[in-house]
Amino acid sequence: SRASDEMGYSLPKRVSQYVFLVPGDSAQSATFLFSSVEIIRLGNSFYIDWDRKMYYPLNDTPAQARTTTLNEELGQIKYIFSDKTGTLTQNIMIFNKCSIDGKSYGDVYDLEGHRVEVTESTPKVDFSYNPLRDSKFSFYDVNLVESVRRDDPPTHKFFRLLALCHTVMPEEKKEGTLVYQAQSPDEGALVTAARNFGFVFRARTPETITVVEMGETVVYKLLAILDFDNVRKRMSVIVQSPKGELTLYCKGADTIVYNLLHPSCGPLKEKTTEHLEEFAGEGLRTLVVAYKDLDEAYFEGWRRRHHEASTALVEREEKLAQLYEEIEADLMEGPGSSGEHRSLLGQDP
């Protein structure tokens, strides 16, 4: 209403007037001035949260000002660069195909064994057995679900890796309804795929990652995160299972991860490369995932050296990069690779 708008507009002004009338020395005045500015910023951030035009009904997501200075930062924007169509786009990634232990999944075949094109009338895989599934996720190759449900070890390891190796944050807006907040659409697509195939990333703390694996809740200790950057072109996590097993999980660009594989992965690498070329030929974005079991004594020594490198005052980045290279060497390509379909839509939420 007009009255509430006027009151909302005048509230920061009245607060600042009150603060400036408070007597005191210069230090007190500076403190009150700082407090009044922060209160005004907080009030302005509420206007962003309450803006109905910034609400995205498709995901039930309102705007959220995560910093009180957002309004000031937006006010400094002078130019917006968009693509050649003149419209801002959504970069939506969809898990489409994967290659696990030398076997490709994602294609659909008819009764005669001929591959058929996926259309809107193509039957989708039934994920109703999974109460934590994402109802918006679609997949068409039933063979992958059957492989998961018969407890195939490489398939389980593949989706366990996808559920653990990421920086996604889960949010439960309603009871039983999970929403993932991902830094990139790639990570969101991979974690959502793992969720539907029975490996549900449930919660994260600075020390743990909780995954519901085929209905059983498993809490992993998060021991280290080897961050992704444009030089490394990969990321890794080191976790410890409830049984005490130490494992490094890695995902990244095929050309990078291939150079880190153990020589024994040669035959599997050749087969996976064939599948990757097929995926890339269809216009899919591809990445390779791998793992490595770690010896506890070696990891403790590496961990001490990692702490020393992370607190070094000289050549910190170079020392960390060298340690990352060391522990990521001789990976096993057991899990496989994946391909994602990119969809660019002409409307931004």
Side-chain angles (χ1 to χ4, degrees):
S1 66
R2 180 178 178 183
S4 62
D5 290 342
E6 290 177 352
M7 183 176 180
Y9 173 78
S10 61
L11 178 59
K13 182 179 178 181
R14 293 180 181 180
V15 171
S16 62
Q17 287 176 343
Y18 171 77
V19 170
F20 285 124
L21 289 175
V22 175
D25 57 25
S26 58
Q28 289 178 326
S29 299
T31 302
F32 284 122
L33 176 60
F34 178 80
S35 301
S36 67
V37 170
E38 282 301 311
I39 292 173
I40 293 170
R41 287 172 171 171
L42 179 63
N44 285 333
S45 69
F46 286 147
Y47 289 126
I48 297 176
D49 296 348
W50 297 336
D51 194 334
R52 294 185 178 181
K53 293 183 178 180
M54 297 180 69
Y55 173 72
Y56 189 49
L58 208 62
N59 292 339
D60 188 25
T61 305
Q64 186 175 2
R66 300 183 184 275
T67 171
T68 57
T69 59
L70 179 60
N71 196 42
E72 299 173 19
E73 294 169 1
L74 291 173
Q76 298 177 39
I77 295 175
K78 190 173 182 180
Y79 300 103
I80 296 178
F81 296 94
S82 64
D83 60 10
K84 61 183 179 181
T85 63
T87 59
L88 295 175
T89 60
Q90 296 180 67
N91 190 0
I92 298 177
M93 304 296 294
I94 302 170
F95 182 84
N96 194 282
K97 295 182 179 182
C98 63
S99 172
I100 303 174
D101 199 30
K103 185 175 181 180
S104 178
Y105 297 95
D107 290 322
V108 181
Y109 298 87
D110 58 21
L111 297 176
E112 298 178 356
H114 300 124
R115 188 167 69 174
V116 297
E117 184 179 354
V118 174
T119 64
E120 293 182 358
S121 60
T122 305
K124 298 179 182 179
V125 170
D126 182 13
F127 292 106
S128 59
Y129 69 91
N130 181 1
L132 297 175
R133 67 189 181 279
D134 184 345
S135 58
K136 299 176 183 177
F137 178 81
S138 298
F139 199 75
Y140 301 93
D141 186 359
V142 70
N143 293 318
L144 185 53
V145 176
E146 293 176 352
S147 180
V148 171
R149 301 190 71 173
R150 67 170 178 263
D151 297 331
D152 178 57
T155 307
H156 277 212
K157 185 164 288 187
F158 175 79
F159 285 115
R160 184 178 295 114
L161 187 154
L162 297 186
L164 290 170
C165 187
H166 56 78
T167 58
V168 174
M169 295 297 295
E171 183 180 357
E172 194 165 354
K173 292 188 174 181
K174 301 176 183 177
E175 188 175 353
T177 304
L178 272 176
V179 177
Y180 292 140
Q181 302 292 339
Q183 292 183 348
S184 70
D186 306 62
E187 285 200 324
L190 295 173
V191 176
T192 299
R195 170 184 177 179
N196 277 266
F197 283 99
F199 289 77
V200 185
F201 167 55
R202 189 72 178 182
R204 175 193 294 277
T205 71
E207 294 83 22
T208 64
I209 297 177
T210 302
V211 179
V212 180
E213 299 183 357
M214 305 302 291
E216 179 182 354
T217 300
V218 183
V219 180
Y220 292 86
K221 290 183 180 179
L222 180 59
L223 304 178
I225 298 178
L226 284 57
D227 293 321
F228 174 93
D229 61 40
N230 292 329
V231 177
R232 285 168 41 78
K233 295 183 180 178
R234 64 187 183 276
M235 80 159 290
S236 300
V237 296
I238 300 174
V239 298
Q240 185 176 33
S241 71
K243 297 180 181 179
E245 299 168 340
L246 292 173
T247 308
L248 180 147
Y249 293 110
C250 178
K251 68 178 181 183
D254 52 356
T255 54
I256 301 296
V257 176
Y258 275 171
N259 292 330
L260 302 173
L261 294 178
H262 191 275
S264 63
C265 296
L268 180 58
K269 176 181 173 181
E270 292 179 5
K271 189 65 177 178
T272 304
T273 301
E274 293 179 12
H275 295 157
L276 282 175
E277 291 175 351
E278 291 178 10
F279 298 163
E282 297 173 15
L284 302 181
R285 287 190 65 177
T286 59
L287 59 81
V288 173
V289 296
Y291 76 100
K292 178 181 180 180
D293 294 323
L294 299 174
D295 176 74
E296 186 172 355
Y298 164 75
F299 175 72
E300 288 302 323
W302 181 90
R303 196 176 190 179
R304 285 193 297 270
R305 290 183 288 132
H306 177 265
H307 176 71
E308 294 172 1
S310 63
T311 56
L313 299 178
V314 180
E315 298 181 344
R316 179 187 305 170
E317 294 183 0
E318 290 79 3
K319 293 178 180 178
L320 286 174
Q322 185 176 359
L323 285 171
Y324 290 172
E325 290 276 353
E326 175 190 321
I327 200 167
E328 289 174 330
D330 293 333
L331 296 173
M332 302 300 293
E333 199 193 0
S337 61
S338 69
E340 300 162 302
H341 170 66
R342 172 184 287 182
S343 176
L344 294 175
L345 303 181
Q347 183 180 0
D348 217 29

